[in-house]
Amino acid sequence: MKNKTALMLGYLCFSTICLVSVSMMRAELAFKTVFIFWFIISVLLLFYVLKLMGVIGKGNADGSGASETTAEGEDAQGDPYLRLAKQYGLTQREVEILELVCLGKSNTEIAEALFLSESTVKTHVSHIFRKLGVKNRTEAMCFVMKRM
């Protein structure tokens, strides 16, 4: 999440600097060149940010584009969380939350990091516990650590 925020802030700073630079220039050719360069980079960065946020690039077979899919289509060879997702039917959001649980984050911290409400996080955590067959965070951490 920190990388996404940093990228978005970088994009904002880059855009501001480019626009200020363009407004200070008097030559029409320089203005057009800088504007075209700014526009191309802005579009590329915007698509990259949207892909990182999961808005584009992750769709269901029915084309709905919903992000609550299981991680079966992704490469589960190297990532133990994706292997667990495939084996136990966890959604991508549940995998994100499980990773944060294993880092010792509280529901409040998870909610802030993922821009969710605490009750939504609690619901996801209870679904994770049910799917993994564990009773609490400690058991969930041990469960994941055994499979790493």
Side-chain angles (χ1 to χ4, degrees), residues 45-115:
L45 285 173
L46 178 66
F47 278 110
Y48 185 67
V49 168
L50 291 174
K51 186 173 181 178
L52 280 177
M53 294 174 69
V55 175
I56 59 173
K58 296 179 182 176
N60 289 340
D62 63 358
S64 66
S67 63
E68 284 292 315
T69 59
T70 58
E72 292 178 22
E74 299 184 27
D75 180 24
Q77 296 289 359
D79 190 355
Y81 292 103
L82 292 180
R83 283 196 310 265
L84 285 174
K86 186 174 181 180
Q87 188 173 359
Y88 293 94
L90 300 175
T91 65
Q92 289 177 346
R93 179 61 84 181
E94 289 170 344
V95 169
E96 291 173 353
I97 291 173
L98 180 59
E99 288 182 51
L100 294 172
V101 165
C102 289
L103 291 173
K105 302 289 183 186
S106 67
N107 286 350
T108 305
E109 292 170 327
I110 295 170
E112 289 173 3
L114 299 179
F115 303 104

Side-chain angles (χ1 to χ4, degrees), residues 3 6 10 12 44 49 55 58 86 91 104-106 111 119 121-122 128-132 137 140 144 147:
N3 290 340
L12 179 64
L44 291 174
V49 168
V55 175
K58 296 179 182 176
K86 186 174 181 180
T91 65
K105 302 289 183 186
S106 67
S119 62
V121 172
K122 287 179 185 178
I128 293 167
F129 290 174
R130 182 178 39 81
K131 289 178 180 181
L132 298 181
R137 292 171 181 267
V144 171
R147 283 150 181 83

Side-chain angles (χ1 to χ4, degrees), residues 17-76:
I17 290 168
C18 284
L19 290 177
V20 168
S21 299
V22 167
S23 68
M24 295 175 134
M25 293 183 181
R26 302 257 188 243
E28 189 175 320
L29 180 61
F31 175 80
K32 288 180 182 178
T33 304
V34 171
F35 179 78
I36 290 170
F37 178 72
W38 170 82
F39 182 76
I40 290 169
I41 297 297
S42 296
V43 169
L44 291 174
L45 285 173
L46 178 66
F47 278 110
Y48 185 67
V49 168
L50 291 174
K51 186 173 181 178
L52 280 177
M53 294 174 69
V55 175
I56 59 173
K58 296 179 182 176
N60 289 340
D62 63 358
S64 66
S67 63
E68 284 292 315
T69 59
T70 58
E72 292 178 22
E74 299 184 27
D75 180 24

